[in-house]
Amino acid sequence: ANIGQDEDMEAARSKALSLGAEKVYIEDIREEFVTDFIFPAIQANVLYEDRYQLGTAIARPCIAKKHIEIAMKEKANYVSHGATGKGNDQVRFELTYYSLFPDVQVIAPWRMPEFFTRFQGRKDLFAYAKTKDIPLPVTIDKPWSMDANLMHVSYESGVLEDPAVNPNSAIEICRHQSSSCLLEGCCT
């Protein structure tokens, strides 16, 4: 879904097709995201701990709503998401799915034993991707992910989740051309 992130949507479509997808939907839902999610959040002064915008948190239901619309259009009884089995995103996706399509079946790989016993973390996923020639935007040395949308940008993983690391010394966020860079040395 296009929610305002700086991403090459055609490259994403090509990658999905090259990996075996039969049909790819990349919907532009920016207007709906702003009108139905961002504006109400701003009006309600929605902030986490009085300082953190919840752009990712409110983006998930917007994306999930589009998942269900497409599932209904395709007469599909199943939807899937890649949220980990330990985070809030799975709840955001699934509560939206079930509220809009109560009988939908959700495939959540991170909660399936055959998946999480094989892939116990990002390193296992990186190794698998390498053996299958699946290009990834992250590396083992720089495993953090950026979740950007029209409201904000959030980063996670690696040193970013280590409470022993001082974020001021570990993180440098800057603008390089039109994309965000993370961590010292990335903006060279």
Side-chain angles (χ1 to χ4, degrees), residues 6 137 142 144-148 153-156 160 170-188:
D6 185 14
K142 296 180 180 179
W144 40 86
S145 61
M146 177 180 79
D147 193 339
V153 179
S154 64
Y155 301 90
E156 68 177 5
L160 305 178
I171 302 171
E172 175 186 322
I173 299 172
C174 65
R175 289 281 175 200
H176 177 65
Q177 296 174 354
S178 65
S179 63
S180 295
C181 302
L182 179 63
L183 294 186
E184 296 172 22
C186 75
C187 299
T188 58

Side-chain angles (χ1 to χ4, degrees), residues 101-169:
F101 187 1
D103 294 328
V104 72
Q105 298 293 308
V106 177
I107 300 170
W110 280 109
R111 290 198 314 260
M112 299 168 67
E114 62 270 26
F115 186 87
F116 67 73
T117 55
R118 181 175 179 189
F119 303 109
Q120 295 183 15
R122 289 180 186 243
K123 288 182 182 180
D124 293 338
L125 291 171
F126 287 129
Y128 178 82
K130 185 176 182 178
T131 64
K132 300 294 184 181
D133 293 319
I134 299 170
L136 298 174
V138 295
T139 66
I140 290 175
D141 295 330
K142 296 180 180 179
W144 40 86
S145 61
M146 177 180 79
D147 193 339
N149 61 50
L150 290 171
M151 187 172 193
H152 81 158
V153 179
S154 64
Y155 301 90
E156 68 177 5
S157 190
V159 299
L160 305 178
E161 296 178 3
D162 184 348
V165 175
N166 179 349
N168 293 331
S169 64

Side-chain angles (χ1 to χ4, degrees), residues 2-20:
N2 182 351
I3 52 173
Q5 70 274 35
D6 185 14
E7 186 174 342
D8 184 342
M9 299 300 171
E10 285 311 309
R13 179 184 311 281
S14 295
K15 181 178 176 181
L17 292 169
S18 74
L19 294 172

Side-chain angles (χ1 to χ4, degrees), residues 81 83-95 108 111:
H81 62 76
T84 64
K86 62 182 180 178
N88 293 326
D89 281 343
Q90 65 178 335
V91 176
R92 295 173 184 132
F93 279 114
E94 293 181 29
L95 287 178
R111 290 198 314 260

